[in-house]
Every structure is written in C-alpha cells, then in structure tokens.
Amino acid sequence: ETGVTQSPTHLIKTRGQQVTLRCSSQSGHNTVSWYQQALGQGPQFIFQYYREEENGRGNFPPRFSGLQFPNYSSELNVNALELDDSALYLCASSLGAESQETQYFGPGTRLLVL
Amino acid sequence: GQSLEQPSEVTAVEGAIVQINCTYQTSGFYGLSWYQQHDGGAPTFLSYNALDGLEETGRFSSFLSRSDSYGYLLLQELQMKDSASYFCAVRDHTGRRALTFGSGTRLQVQP
C-alpha cells in the first residue's frame, strides 16, 4: 500500500509568481485535504476535495485554488504569491466512509517566497 | 468558530510520564484527535476519542471529558524518539473530515 506522496519537496518562488503543488492520495482514499503550516504553528485547513468536488474551504483567499482528479490525486495552486505564503503545505487523504478522525499526511512541500 | 489550547512546550526525562493537556471550544463536537510531528516530518495519527474516558495504545493513552471540553495525551516510559510536537485536533464544525489543529506542544525528552 502506497502512502501519501507530495511533490516537489521544496520550492523557492518570488512574490507575485504562481505555484502548483501536487499530492497523490493513499490507495483507496477518495478525500484529500490541504493544510498550510507556518513555522511553530499547527496545520491550518485550506480546502478539501471529495470525489473531484470541493467539499469545504477554510479562511483562505480565492488565489488558493485546487483540483482533484479521477484517480483522487490533487493539486493546490496559489496565484500572486505573497511573502506570508511561505510555509509547509501538507496534503492529507482519508477514506470517506472511515469512522475515525484519521487523516494520513504526506511529507509536505516547503515553499519559500522571496 | 473553533479553538484549541495546549501548552507550547513540555520538558521531561527519559523513562518519565508526561501529560499534554488540550482544551477546546467548538460549535459541533465529533471527537478529539492527537497527532505527532517530528521536526521536518509529516503529522502522524496517534489516537482519537469520541466518547468520554481513556483510550490506551501501547505507551500512549488519550483521555476525553466532553462535559469539560478537555482532553489529554499521556506518554509513558518516555524515550528520546518521543521528542516531537504534539497536536490536538477537532473535526470542522460542519462535519467535514477537515481538522482544526491546536498550535502544538513541543515535547523535549532529556537523557
């Protein structure tokens, strides 16, 4: 069974640029959530995708957008990057019918905006 | 909205027992989860409590009191590898599986 994978592992961008981060969910998981984790803080929910549809969104501006594909992999796109977007971006997959609050996290993409 | 409070740092020695507390405020409660995150690593699931009481998994136990909006993670027989950040989390109030995390407790285990 393959775990959650993310690419790239690290990324450096400049302010105003756009970035796309990718996530492959754990085998059989149909739900992907994206989180932003600033240094020294807990992960903050960006949005969730369930069967290719957005299934909820946190307090992030529209320049944060996403997609989920038929194989349940997902992308996070951030436009017009700002310095404060520098963070670890985590994706987590879960099984829709799962009864426990278990999400399986990928290793994250560390984004630095200069 | 939702908020969770936990201590920012805890220090303990190898072999000791440490308790990390978490209090939460949420408009809809489904249960309290705990995650461990080593520096540079991904959060990994430790435990989940939906009902009052103690859940034990090896050296780790988690407790929940719904009436007090309070829970804790108990780590026994501490090992150096337990040095990490520990986060409590509740499910989003709309019922989605997205989680709201506390700011984390950094546990340092000393020899």
Side-chain angles (χ1 to χ4, degrees), chain A residues 35 37 40-43 45 48 55-56 96 98 101-103 105-106, chain B residues 33 35 37 41-43 45 48 87 91 96-99 101-103:
Chain A
Y35 295 84
Q37 187 176 25
Q41 297 297 315
F45 174 65
Q48 181 183 84
N55 187 40
E98 196 173 6
E101 303 307 311
T102 308
Q103 296 203 352
F105 284 84
Chain B
S33 300
Y35 283 77
Q37 186 178 30
F45 172 79
Y48 170 68
F87 297 91
R91 200 202 304 188
R96 301 187 304 260
R97 295 196 177 279
L99 295 170
F101 286 83
S103 296

Side-chain angles (χ1 to χ4, degrees), chain A residues 102-113:
Chain A
T102 308
Q103 296 203 352
Y104 297 86
F105 284 84
T109 294
R110 190 163 295 280
L111 173 65
L112 177 62
V113 182

Side-chain angles (χ1 to χ4, degrees), chain B:
Chain B
Q2 300 178 114
S3 67
L4 299 99
E5 286 194 18
Q6 50 181 131
S8 58
E9 286 187 24
V10 172
T11 302
V13 296
E14 261 187 308
I17 299 173
V18 72
Q19 178 174 313
I20 299 174
N21 299 321
C22 174
T23 57
Y24 58 86
Q25 286 187 319
T26 177
S27 53
F29 182 75
Y30 293 89
L32 187 69
S33 300
W34 288 92
Y35 283 77
Q36 177 193 60
Q37 186 178 30
H38 287 97
D39 285 348
T44 56
F45 172 79
L46 290 177
S47 69
Y48 170 68
N49 295 68
L51 303 175
D52 287 357
L54 192 68
E55 296 277 345
E56 297 181 64
T57 308
R59 295 187 297 115
F60 294 0
S61 303
S62 57
F63 172 83
L64 176 66
S65 169
R66 295 172 67 114
S67 60
D68 295 323
S69 298
Y70 163 76
Y72 66 72
L73 180 69
L74 192 72
L75 296 84
Q76 303 181 74
E77 300 172 19
L78 281 174
Q79 303 175 8
M80 297 295 290
K81 67 178 181 180
D82 297 330
S83 293
S85 292
Y86 293 84
F87 297 91
C88 56
V90 294
R91 200 202 304 188
D92 180 87
H93 71 284
T94 66
R96 301 187 304 260
R97 295 196 177 279
L99 295 170
T100 299
F101 286 83
S103 296
T105 298
R106 189 170 183 86
L107 170 64
Q108 184 153 4
V109 180
Q110 295 179 337

Side-chain angles (χ1 to χ4, degrees), chain A residues 70-91:
Chain A
N71 66 354
Y72 302 135
S73 66
S74 177
E75 284 183 358
L76 164 65
N77 299 289
V78 187
N79 294 320
L81 282 167
E82 300 177 0
L83 298 181
D84 284 349
D85 296 334
S86 296
L88 179 68
Y89 289 85
L90 296 160
C91 92

